[in-house]
């Protein structure tokens, strides 16, 4: 067990009045134990008590090695995984948002004296603040992402196909040692860019198209995530105006990030600039999201977020303008909140680029 991280979780449990929690998220279990397990239909449950007791209930198939400070409780495929229900204290049990209902329902049937409540916050809130090892991992992943996006931009040529360019990006990541990811890459040409989550298809690049490259993957478990938009062969006056507005919004938001600034104010810095330019209705999503062991994790960077920027947080800043039937532009960086401001982890150029 990572004792420093566990101590943060225990403090958060005390804050939330929780005497016991069950954690099943693959990323959260890894964060505390160093075990990376994708259990599929099998059970994985890390049980933590306020007194520091930690037990990992897992299938023997996962081949986990014992470690100090953590009791392993194993079962076989042929067993009903009931040991957890017997270990629980009566009363309130914090359960994380990732645990499948089939396990929770079975547990409650066996232990009617247990009352479940949402219990993700103790670990989620600990994970919001990256330690030195995590910061180094995220810097490295973003450095690789800078290299990959430049290679992807260089591949924007006549005859390019969205799905083929997306596959090329995946291959580049593999060459740089990225982990496996089922997310895929967002490559959007022209009008397809007006859909913020357009799935790449057989669309062929045309002169004047905007090209949105939203590329992301875990590298040694920690995610990189960045978006750059370029234009192919020419850019219309409207495309230039949209691009410069989005870039200004990205820079304006990053300029206000420092400890103590509410996330909603960071969102507002970008959104007001886009609204003042007349494109407010076409910025259709939050400004960003936390990033780390999961691509999307706390803190939420939005107009409704209760979070406040604090040192060690890493989140995205990704304003966009999406004009249906015409084009889309998004510019995204990951930023690390420092003691006196923020460090932008991505360094690929944000100047308007027209490629040929």
């Amino acid at each position: 067990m990572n004792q420093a991280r566990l101590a943060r979780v225990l403090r958060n449990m005390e804050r939330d009045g929780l005497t016991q929690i069950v954690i099943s998220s693959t990323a959260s279990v890894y964060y505390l134990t160093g075990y990376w397990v994708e259990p599929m239909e099998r059970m994985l449950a890390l049980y933590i008590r306020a007194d520091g007791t930690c037990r990992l209930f897992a299938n023997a198939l996962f081949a986990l090695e014992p470690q100090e400070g953590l009791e392993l409780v194993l079962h076989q495929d042929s067993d009903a995984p009931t040991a957890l229900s017997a270990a629980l204290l009566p009363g309130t049990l914090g359960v994380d948002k990732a645990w499948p209902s089939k396990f929770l329902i079975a547990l409650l049937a066996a232990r009617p004296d247990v009352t479940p409540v949402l219990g993700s916050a103790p670990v989620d809130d600990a994970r919001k603040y990256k330690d030195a090892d995590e910061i180094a991992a995220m810097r490295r992943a973003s450095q690789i992402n800078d290299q990959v996006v430049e290679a992807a931009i260089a591949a924007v040529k006549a005859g390019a196909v969205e799905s083929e360019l997306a596959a090329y990006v995946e291959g580049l990541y593999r060459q740089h040692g990225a982990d496996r990811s089922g997310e895929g890459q967002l490559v959007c040409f022209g009008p397809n860019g007006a859909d913020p989550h357009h799935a790449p298809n057989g669309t062929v690049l045309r002169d004047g198209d905007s090209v949105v490259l939203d590329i992301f993957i875990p590298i040694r478990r920690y995610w990189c995530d960045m978006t750059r938009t370029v234009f192919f062969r020419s850019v219309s006056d409207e495309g230039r105006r949209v691009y410069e507005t989005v870039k200004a919004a990205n820079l304006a938001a990053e300029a206000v990030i420092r400890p103590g600034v509410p996330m909603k104010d960071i969102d507002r810095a970008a959104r007001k600039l886009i609204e003042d330019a007349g494109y407010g209705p076409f910025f259709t999503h939050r400004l960003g999201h936390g990033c780390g062991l999961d691509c999307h994790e706390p803190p939420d960077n939005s107009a409704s977020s209760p979070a406040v920027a604090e040192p060690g947080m890493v989140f995205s800043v990704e304003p966009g303008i999406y004009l249906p039937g015409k084009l889309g532009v998004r510019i995204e960086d990951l930023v690390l909140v420092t003691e006196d401001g923020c460090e932008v982890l991505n360094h690929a150029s944000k100047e308007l680029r027209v490629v040929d």
Side-chain angles (χ1 to χ4, degrees), residues 56-67:
L56 184 62
F57 296 84
N59 195 297
L61 182 68
F62 302 153
L64 303 179
E65 295 292 331
Q67 60 174 268

Side-chain angles (χ1 to χ4, degrees), residues 113-137:
D113 59 338
V114 170
T115 302
V117 298
L118 186 61
S120 295
V123 181
D124 284 353
D125 288 350
R127 285 175 52 187
K128 281 195 298 190
Y129 307 100
K130 273 52 179 180
D131 59 30
D133 290 342
E134 292 180 296
I135 289 170

Side-chain angles (χ1 to χ4, degrees), residues 219-301:
I219 301 174
R220 297 184 184 175
R221 305 300 183 198
Y222 283 85
W223 283 78
C224 57
D225 189 8
M226 174 175 52
T227 307
R228 293 294 183 266
T229 303
V230 300
F231 292 84
F232 182 58
R233 288 187 173 165
S234 66
V235 55
S236 67
D237 290 343
E238 182 174 47
R240 185 179 299 275
R241 185 165 56 251
V242 166
Y243 187 90
E244 294 299 344
T245 299
V246 172
K247 184 181 79 170
N250 170 275
L251 296 175
E254 291 174 356
V256 304
I257 297 171
R258 63 184 182 276
V261 174
M263 289 290 178
K264 62 183 179 181
D265 289 355
I266 301 169
D267 181 284
R268 188 62 192 154
R271 198 169 302 276
K272 184 178 186 305
L273 200 150
I274 291 174
E275 289 172 353
D276 288 348
Y279 293 109
F282 304 104
F283 180 14
T284 55
H285 54 75
R286 62 185 175 178
L287 182 62
H289 54 83
C291 191
L293 286 168
D294 289 310
C295 189
H296 286 203
E297 62 180 44
D300 177 33
N301 183 14

Side-chain angles (χ1 to χ4, degrees), residues 27 76 105 280 297 316 318 327 337:
Q76 306 284 339
I105 291 170
E297 62 180 44
S316 68
E318 48 182 300
L327 59 88
V337 183

Side-chain angles (χ1 to χ4, degrees), residues 24 41 61 89 102 153-154 164 208 246 298 342 355:
S24 65
E41 76 278 9
L61 182 68
L89 300 172
K102 67 177 183 178
I153 291 170
E164 293 175 0
V246 172
C342 79
V355 301

Side-chain angles (χ1 to χ4, degrees), residues 159-183:
V161 177
E162 283 181 345
S163 58
E164 293 175 0
L165 184 53
Y168 176 66
V169 171
E170 286 280 333
L172 290 171
Y173 279 134
R174 295 290 181 272
Q175 293 172 26
H176 285 85
D179 302 331
R180 177 179 61 82
S181 170
E183 297 288 335

Side-chain angles (χ1 to χ4, degrees), residues 47-192:
Y47 175 58
I48 301 175
R49 284 186 184 171
D51 64 3
T53 297
C54 297
R55 295 175 184 152
L56 184 62
F57 296 84
N59 195 297
L61 182 68
F62 302 153
L64 303 179
E65 295 292 331
Q67 60 174 268
E68 186 176 353
L70 177 65
E71 179 185 352
L72 278 177
V73 183
L74 303 178
H75 59 270
Q76 306 284 339
D77 269 351
S78 56
D79 301 330
T82 58
L84 173 58
S85 62
L88 298 180
L89 300 172
T92 300
L93 171 68
V95 180
D96 82 359
K97 57 186 179 285
W99 207 32
S101 59
K102 67 177 183 178
F103 297 124
L104 177 58
I105 291 170
L107 182 147
L108 295 178
R111 290 294 303 270
D113 59 338
V114 170
T115 302
V117 298
L118 186 61
S120 295
V123 181
D124 284 353
D125 288 350
R127 285 175 52 187
K128 281 195 298 190
Y129 307 100
K130 273 52 179 180
D131 59 30
D133 290 342
E134 292 180 296
I135 289 170
M138 297 207 69
R139 283 181 177 141
R140 179 180 182 276
S142 288
Q143 289 169 0
I144 290 172
N145 215 13
D146 286 340
Q147 298 172 45
V148 171
V149 80
E150 292 296 346
I153 291 170
V156 175
K157 299 181 182 298
V161 177
E162 283 181 345
S163 58
E164 293 175 0
L165 184 53
Y168 176 66
V169 171
E170 286 280 333
L172 290 171
Y173 279 134
R174 295 290 181 272
Q175 293 172 26
H176 285 85
D179 302 331
R180 177 179 61 82
S181 170
E183 297 288 335
Q185 307 303 318
L186 299 184
V187 175
C188 317
F189 296 162
N192 292 343

